[in-house]
Every structure is written in C-alpha cells, then in structure tokens.
Amino acid sequence: MPGTTDERVRALRRTVSDLHAELVRYGLVVWTAGNISARVPGRDLMVIKPSGVSYDELSPEAMVVCDLEGTVVEGGLRPSSDTAAHAYVYRHMPEVGGVVHTHSAYACAWAARGEPVPCVLTAMADEFGAEIPLGPFAPIGDDSIGRGIVGTLRGHRSPAVIMRNHGVFTIGADARAAVKAAVMCEDAARAVHLARQLGDPVPLRPEDVDRLYQRYQNAYGQRP
C-alpha cells in the first residue's frame, strides 16, 4: 500500500531527527559531526541526517531519504558524507535497522592509538560480549568505511566498531538500539582509559563474558 510506506517514512524522519538530540545529550558529538540513519522496514530505503547541518536546526523535514545505493529519493538537502558507508552496511547486513556514527572523545582516543577496547568490565560483557573491536583505516566519502564496518562486525557480538584514526560506528536492530550502543561504547572507552591510568586492567575470563552476555541479552529488563 503506497500510504503505508509514506507513513513509515514520515515516522522514521521524526524518529531519526529526535534521536540526534541523544547524541548531544550524552556528549558524543560536537558542531555538526556525527550522524544517525534508519532503514525503512520492508523497503530498500533509509533515512539519514543531512550533511553539515547544526543539531539545533535538525527537524523531521530536514532528514534525507536515500535508496540503499546512497542516491537521494526524497529531501531538499544533501545527505551525510557517510551515506555510502551506511548504505553499504544495510545492503550487506540485512539484520541491521539503524547505524550511528560519532567522534566521541574517549573512543576516538582508542581510535588514534589503533587499539580495540578490551573487555574488562561486566557492563562491557553485557553489551558487547567481547572487546570493542578495531576496524581498519578507510577514506571518507565512498563505501570504504562501510566495507570496514561489515568486515569487522559481521560474526562479532559487538554492535560497535572503532575505526582506526577516525571514530565510532554502531549498528542495531533499529536506530535507537544503535544510539544505545554508541552511548555504551563511549562509557566503556572512558572507563577502561581511566583504569589504564591506574595500572593494568584485569581481563574477564571468556566463560564469564559468555555467561554475562547471555544473561543480559536474554533475561535482563522487561519482557512481553
């Protein structure tokens, strides 16, 4: 039904626009950097932030609708410079419904060092089920970053990857889940950085990581 798709797009425009405020709220972005996208369910479309627009000026109407090749199909503004990367992820990871990119400070410090964040906290085991992996360096503007994201996260428990010398990309079943992963990634990156200032963090045993991850993913919180 044509109307159904239109309603889904309108709803996602508002959702994606509103979620950008969470990036500001948690201190994950500065100026106009960073972006969120969401896949339109049942369609080869995504909604993404426009390029270089202030967070204060974002609105549902400002969001850009693209196909999964990154071509604009609806909207009067140019889409994010990371559109090709987001589109590549959606094409190659059909389970992904949302993608987030940030330059959050502590995670970027790990990116600058070229190091994954080791799994040394129960909260990391809960959310990521392993270390937060390091992805390769990739140029901005084409699908190279997307290739690095998919190559790193496919088959990995973590919904977050720290791209070397760049920043964080996260994925989720929907855009809100991807935002949560970005928030938790920065929290973990900060905590482990601070731990290193005191000495060598104590790693969790793999069997404890597995147990914690399964409990959190399957038993934590409210269930229908």
Side-chain angles (χ1 to χ4, degrees), residues 196-207:
R196 278 196 167 183
Q197 309 316 298
L198 301 173
D200 294 327
V202 178
L204 288 167
R205 298 182 305 170
E207 57 268 32

Side-chain angles (χ1 to χ4, degrees), residues 3 15-17 19 26 35 42 45 65 88 93 107 109 136 150 167 171 176 189 192 202:
T15 296
V16 172
S17 177
L19 281 172
Y26 286 99
N35 43 70
L45 297 173
V65 182
Y88 188 92
M93 301 182 79
V150 171
I171 58 175
R176 185 172 184 81
V192 181
V202 178

Side-chain angles (χ1 to χ4, degrees), residues 11 22 28 40 62 71 87 89 123 151 159 172 182 184:
E22 297 298 296
L28 304 185
V40 179
T71 302
V89 172
M184 299 302 288

Side-chain angles (χ1 to χ4, degrees), residues 142-157:
D142 60 18
D143 65 10
S144 299
I145 291 173
R147 291 175 184 274
I149 296 166
V150 171
T152 305
L153 292 185
R154 181 179 277 163
H156 200 290
R157 284 174 173 172

